[in-house]
Amino acid sequence: MESKKKAVEEKTKNREEKVKIVQWEDFQQELARLSSLSSALSEANQKKSLIQEKLNSHLQLEAESLSRSNKLDEMRENLEARKLVMGNMSMRSKVVQEKAKKQEEQLNSEIRSLLMAGTSLSVASRSLQEANNSLAGERGYGHLRNLQKLLRMRQQFMVSQISLLYPVKVVTGLTCEQELESFSGSSKSGNPSGLKPLDAGSLTISGLQLTVLPFKKLSFFTDKKEVQRSATALGYVAHAVSLIAFYLEIPLRYPLRLGGSRTYICDYAPSVESTSSDFTSISLPSSSSKPMEFPLFLEGQDTTRSAYAVFLLNKDLEQLLNFIGVESLGPRHVLANLKELLNNILSQEYINS
């Protein structure tokens, strides 16, 4: 309780101290001073409000300027990025322009080439038209066909004379006779006997048959007349083949050196004694190479050479048959191939082909 009383007493003392006692004589002055102070205070408050407003406006301007500065920075960054993009695009456009120039030059050169090709094509077309006109004319393709037909008729007539000179006929009923048509058992034909039986009959040329086989060595009991007849028949075949090739204007692959019953056939193949290194490069026979001659008759005890000569003669017949578009009857049919050749040349199809 005492403490509360003391606190109340202290408060009353403080109030008494704060209260200022003014004399009446000084009241007017104090009142004037207080009014001036109040007016000054109001002016100060007005100035404060003005300053506060200005400060707020400045702060707002500062914030706006800061935001604008940030926007300007962003715009600068965007501008720099766009400058880089524009620079890249400019470089790319330059590259594209260079490529376009190159392509334009290439197109120009191609256009020039096309123009030149078009000119050449037009010239070729005119030449082709002229050639077609000339072919369709009196001395054109029809005239050439007529000349070819006349030539083949002439060839047919000449070959008919050969068929009359060396007639190839079939003699029936002779089963014991056999035609000379193949190699020996060591030859490429693979037939060890080298013989082919004739079921229907045996072919003859000018009445002679190929009956003596040049695959066996001559013995004391060998019929010399039979050997001579076979050599003569082969000479007839060689002469007929040579004449037909001459009339058809065909160079024989294996040329013949005619001599009747002593006729030889030439082979430009390399010699058997040549080493293996000689065959590493294959070349066509030249005029300077020396041919090897093989006899179309039995010469001494050596029968292999004459057998190979008959084989080469049959290859010449095969060449002539292939020239007129006919297949060969095989390497074992000398007289049969000759008869087939004569029959085809003397037919009407040969003239019309």
Side-chain angles (χ1 to χ4, degrees):
M1 293 294 290
E2 292 179 354
S3 60
K4 289 182 179 180
K5 288 180 178 180
K6 290 180 179 179
V8 171
E9 291 177 355
E10 288 178 357
K11 286 181 180 180
T12 54
K13 288 180 179 180
N14 290 330
R15 286 178 182 175
E16 290 176 354
E17 289 177 355
K18 289 181 180 179
V19 175
K20 184 178 179 181
I21 299 172
V22 178
Q23 297 296 327
W24 179 253
E25 292 84 5
D26 298 328
F27 178 73
Q28 293 294 331
Q29 294 179 356
E30 285 294 329
L31 185 62
R33 186 174 67 82
L34 288 173
S35 62
S36 64
L37 286 174
S38 63
S39 62
L41 181 61
S42 62
E43 289 178 0
N45 288 331
Q46 290 178 358
K47 288 180 180 181
K48 181 181 178 181
S49 61
L50 291 173
I51 291 171
Q52 187 68 34
E53 290 177 359
K54 289 181 180 180
L55 182 61
N56 291 332
S57 64
H58 283 299
L59 289 174
Q60 188 176 359
L61 290 173
E62 190 72 23
E64 290 178 357
S65 64
L66 183 60
S67 63
R68 289 179 181 177
S69 177
N70 293 331
K71 289 181 180 179
L72 286 174
D73 291 337
E74 291 178 359
M75 293 175 66
R76 288 192 187 94
E77 291 177 358
N78 294 330
L79 183 60
E80 292 295 330
R82 289 186 179 181
K83 284 182 178 179
L84 291 175
V85 172
M86 292 299 293
N88 294 330
M89 292 179 64
S90 177
M91 294 295 293
R92 289 179 183 176
S93 65
K94 288 181 180 179
V95 173
V96 170
Q97 286 178 358
E98 292 178 357
K99 289 183 179 180
K101 287 182 180 179
K102 290 181 180 179
Q103 290 180 357
E104 184 179 1
E105 293 176 356
Q106 185 176 1
L107 286 174
N108 289 332
S109 62
E110 290 179 357
I111 289 171
R112 287 193 295 269
S113 302
L114 286 175
L115 290 175
M116 294 176 64
T119 305
S120 302
L121 183 61
S122 62
V123 172
S125 178
R126 287 195 297 270
S127 300
L128 181 61
Q129 187 66 29
E130 293 175 358
N132 290 332
N133 294 333
S134 62
L135 285 175
E138 296 180 355
R139 302 188 62 82
Y141 182 71
H143 181 65
L144 179 62
R145 289 291 297 173
N146 292 331
L147 289 179
Q148 185 178 8
K149 188 174 182 180
L150 291 175
L151 176 62
R152 294 210 169 187
M153 291 176 64
R154 182 63 178 172
Q155 290 174 345
Q156 192 178 71
F157 173 75
M158 300 301 293
V159 172
S160 67
Q161 300 302 309
I162 297 174
S163 66
L164 293 176
L165 181 62
Y166 298 113
V168 180
K169 299 180 180 180
V170 178
V171 179
T172 59
L174 297 177
T175 58
C176 61
E177 302 293 345
Q178 293 177 320
E179 184 183 355
L180 173 61
E181 295 171 332
S182 62
F183 280 98
S184 61
S186 61
S187 65
K188 298 180 180 178
S189 63
N191 188 354
S193 63
L195 304 176
K196 180 180 180 298
L198 300 177
D199 298 329
S202 178
L203 291 171
T204 62
I205 179 168
S206 297
L208 297 177
Q209 288 180 311
L210 299 176
T211 56
V212 175
L213 305 179
F215 316 121
K216 299 179 181 179
K217 292 185 178 181
L218 294 178
S219 64
F220 180 76
F221 300 100
T222 303
D223 190 355
K224 301 298 188 297
K225 292 183 180 179
E226 201 69 30
V227 172
Q228 184 62 32
R229 283 197 291 269
S230 294
T232 303
L234 288 174
Y236 289 165
V237 174
H239 191 203
V241 169
S242 178
L243 289 175
I244 293 172
F246 176 74
Y247 294 149
L248 299 183
E249 297 181 352
I250 304 172
L252 291 175
R253 188 176 293 111
Y254 303 104
L256 294 161
R257 185 165 67 85
L258 301 175
S261 61
R262 290 295 182 266
T263 300
Y264 290 85
I265 189 166
C266 302
D267 184 13
Y268 287 90
S271 177
V272 178
E273 292 80 11
S274 300
T275 60
S276 60
S277 62
D278 296 333
F279 297 94
T280 54
S281 60
I282 301 175
S283 60
L284 293 175
S286 61
S287 59
S288 62
S289 60
K290 185 178 180 181
M292 296 183 64
E293 293 185 347
F294 296 91
L296 285 168
F297 56 90
L298 291 178
E299 187 178 41
Q301 298 295 323
D302 188 8
T303 60
T304 306
R305 290 172 59 83
S306 58
Y308 186 64
V310 175
F311 173 76
L312 295 182
L313 179 62
N314 204 35
K315 297 301 286 185
D316 283 343
L317 281 168
E318 182 180 354
Q319 178 186 357
L320 296 175
L321 285 169
N322 293 336
F323 177 77
I324 62 174
V326 181
E327 293 291 333
S328 172
L329 299 177
R332 302 182 182 183
H333 304 276
V334 177
L335 291 181
N337 282 329
L338 179 59
K339 185 173 181 59
E340 184 73 12
L341 178 64
L342 293 173
N343 289 339
N344 279 276
I345 294 177
L346 296 178
S347 65
Q348 187 65 29
E349 288 78 7
Y350 178 74
I351 298 176
N352 297 329
S353 62

